[in-house]
Amino acid sequence: MPGRARRRHPRVLRRPGLRPGGFIRHGATRRPASGATIGRPHAGPRFRARYRRQRERCLCNRSGCHNLAAGKAEQQPISMTRSLDGVELRRSKACNREGRLHYGGVSATRRVGVAVVGLGNAGQGHIAAIENCPECSVVAGVEPDAEVARRASIPIRDFTEVLRDDATDVVAFCLPPGGRAELVTRALRSGKHVVVEKPPAQDVSELDGLTATARAAERFAAVMFQHRFCLPDQLTAVDPSVLADRFAGAIGSLVVSRPRVDTYYELGWRSHAAVAIGGVTAHLGVHYLDLACQILGPIADAEVLSRVEAAPGVDSELVGHIRFVSGAVLNVTVTSRSKHRCEHLAIFGSNDRVEIRDGACTGEFDGSAITRAARPAVELRAEVYRRLSVAVRDGSDLGVIALSRSRFVTDALARLSGAAAIATGVDSAW
């Protein structure tokens, strides 16, 4: 009623800077207004002092670390790091004192900007995933093929221009693996975070080089192995080396059938082994092979029992056997020559069991049943971008999407291919 004072609930706290309606009620699930920070509902002197200290901590935005407390910006010590490709990376000494590197630099009030390099099938999948991730948005695309670029629904820009654009926080590389590393390195040294499509690298040495560049540039490097989210939290929360020890001596079976006609591998980049780095195993069977490596750990040796090629060095069917350092063994069958689709991985340890069939996971781990329902691929890809966006904003760990966790599957692919890929360099169109 007009003129009547509004009654305030004793457990309601109005935080500084909140617009009307941006309150937090104890025990309620109502979300605060945009930009509000959820904290404890009590406003006693101890809480106010703690909140004041939190405001004085160093946060990161696009221009580097600064202090949000009024009048204290000049007192915040700033240390300048190396300059990479003309981009100065700034880091606050306060961050170092807290033992945490802020790889981010993106304000929490805006979306993380992603540029997609390569707008083929993989690139379209990334765009759809980003559109399903509210934390990020597509800011540009890079595509040298004029016809493909003409059909694109996003702004097309030059690769060098994208690297210089402050609106681009992440560069997604949806290119064939052969020769891609040079472009990924340029992006990292320009201060951009990166996402690379599978397979992540030609060999282990190339992968190690990319992860080392990311560490030196203090940027995040993620990989689009979205099927890692098929694994239940009980498994991903365990240290990889501990998980491999639990499955020491396990036996496993991997069967992947993804129908493709042989002409699929006879056209374009897929027909060139040095660019494609393989066929059905490297591009379709690799997801479940990666899941096996996440559980069983490093490779001891691998043997190819039979192999059918659609083009020289490009397999359309492979049967192999992998032995892991832990003593676990895995039989591998991957084919594109059957009309039936199937993706199945089963691993049996002495006490634990994991089975993943067409994206759904069941089993038993540490005496408890584990399960995870299948999810659409676009949701899994969107989860990769959500995790990366969170990491870019607050400097948290990438977890299962980290490129560094692809070392074992890269080793397995190199061993099953039987020959190291030939570096071809970058296409002149780039």
Side-chain angles (χ1 to χ4, degrees):
M1 296 178 60
R4 182 178 179 180
R6 187 171 69 174
R7 182 180 179 183
R8 297 183 65 181
H9 195 283
R11 302 280 281 183
V12 171
L13 166 66
R14 285 194 173 275
R15 298 285 291 276
L18 288 186
R19 61 190 184 186
F23 58 83
I24 305 164
R25 184 164 54 213
H26 179 71
T29 58
R30 180 173 176 179
R31 297 178 63 85
S34 176
T37 304
I38 298 178
R40 291 179 59 188
H42 305 289
R46 296 172 64 183
F47 170 75
R48 288 197 296 268
R50 180 185 300 176
Y51 181 59
R52 185 167 55 252
R53 289 194 300 270
Q54 289 176 345
R55 287 188 49 143
E56 293 174 359
R57 286 180 183 171
C58 173
L59 300 176
C60 292
N61 69 357
R62 292 192 58 76
S63 62
C65 293
H66 67 286
N67 196 293
L68 293 183
K72 300 217 176 164
E74 296 79 14
Q75 301 178 22
Q76 179 64 44
I78 298 292
S79 64
M80 301 300 296
T81 63
R82 67 193 67 74
S83 176
L84 302 174
D85 285 4
V87 178
E88 291 180 330
L89 304 178
R90 304 175 63 181
R91 186 175 66 202
S92 167
K93 294 179 181 178
C95 293
N96 292 337
R97 287 198 299 269
E98 294 183 9
R100 181 178 182 179
L101 294 179
H102 282 251
Y103 281 34
V106 177
S107 170
T109 62
R110 75 167 184 87
R111 292 183 174 184
V112 173
V114 183
V116 180
V117 181
L119 301 181
N121 292 336
Q124 296 303 319
H126 280 245
I127 293 173
I130 296 169
E131 291 174 347
N132 280 272
C133 178
E135 288 84 1
C136 57
S137 62
V138 179
V139 295
V142 181
E143 176 54 61
D145 189 312
E147 181 61 25
V148 176
R150 186 183 63 83
R151 299 194 303 265
S153 59
I154 60 177
I156 302 300
R157 304 174 66 183
D158 179 74
F159 183 66
T160 302
E161 183 183 357
V162 164
L163 297 186
R164 293 174 178 172
D165 187 7
D166 288 340
T168 301
D169 307 299
V170 177
V171 181
F173 289 91
C174 307
L175 303 171
R180 181 177 61 194
E182 180 182 332
L183 297 175
V184 178
T185 300
R186 283 178 58 188
L188 289 169
R189 290 179 174 173
S190 296
K192 307 301 182 184
H193 309 280
V194 299
V195 179
V196 298
E197 253 294 340
K198 47 76 182 170
Q202 298 183 86
D203 51 38
V204 173
S205 62
E206 181 179 279
L207 183 77
D208 289 345
L210 293 177
T211 55
T213 301
R215 285 194 300 270
E218 297 183 353
R219 302 291 96 178
F220 286 115
V223 63
M224 187 51 76
F225 272 133
Q226 70 271 13
H227 285 66
R228 291 178 182 176
F229 293 115
C230 296
L231 296 174
D233 295 338
Q234 297 96 314
L235 297 181
T236 57
V238 179
D239 183 87
S241 60
V242 175
L243 189 61
D245 289 341
R246 287 192 63 94
F247 282 92
I251 59 172
S253 172
L254 183 154
V255 177
V256 173
S257 175
R258 298 286 298 274
R260 297 289 189 278
V261 295
D262 281 353
T263 55
Y264 178 80
Y265 296 107
E266 296 175 359
L267 301 174
W269 61 268
R270 292 184 179 87
S271 63
H272 301 287
V275 178
I277 319 301
V280 65
T281 305
H283 291 273
L284 299 177
V286 66
H287 281 295
Y288 275 58
L289 182 59
D290 174 67
L291 292 178
C293 292
Q294 295 298 312
I295 297 172
L296 301 178
I299 309 295
D301 58 58
E303 179 185 4
V304 176
L305 303 178
S306 68
R307 177 186 175 100
V308 178
E309 294 188 343
V314 179
D315 61 296
S316 60
E317 186 172 279
L318 181 141
V319 178
H321 180 81
I322 300 177
R323 187 171 62 86
F324 294 82
V325 173
S326 66
V329 294
L330 179 71
N331 293 320
V332 178
T333 303
V334 184
T335 183
S336 62
R337 306 183 69 186
S338 171
K339 69 176 183 179
H340 302 286
R341 173 167 178 157
C342 172
E343 293 176 311
H344 180 238
L345 172 67
I347 300 175
F348 299 90
S350 57
N351 297 305
D352 304 310
R353 174 183 66 88
V354 176
E355 183 174 4
I356 305 173
R357 183 184 295 273
D358 298 328
C361 180
T362 58
E364 181 179 342
F365 183 74
D366 198 19
S368 301
I370 56 175
T371 181
R372 173 153 288 184
R375 298 165 61 188
V378 66
E379 289 187 12
L380 297 176
R381 295 190 188 103
E383 182 67 13
V384 172
Y385 278 103
R386 191 193 71 80
R387 294 283 183 95
L388 177 59
S389 298
V390 171
V392 167
R393 284 175 171 172
D394 63 17
S396 57
D397 186 71
L398 285 178
V400 295
I401 67 171
L403 180 63
S404 58
R405 293 190 62 160
S406 305
R407 204 170 189 275
F408 302 151
V409 69
T410 302
D411 186 21
L413 287 176
R415 292 173 185 269
L416 292 174
S417 69
I422 302 172
T424 58
V426 179
D427 191 293
S428 58
W430 298 99

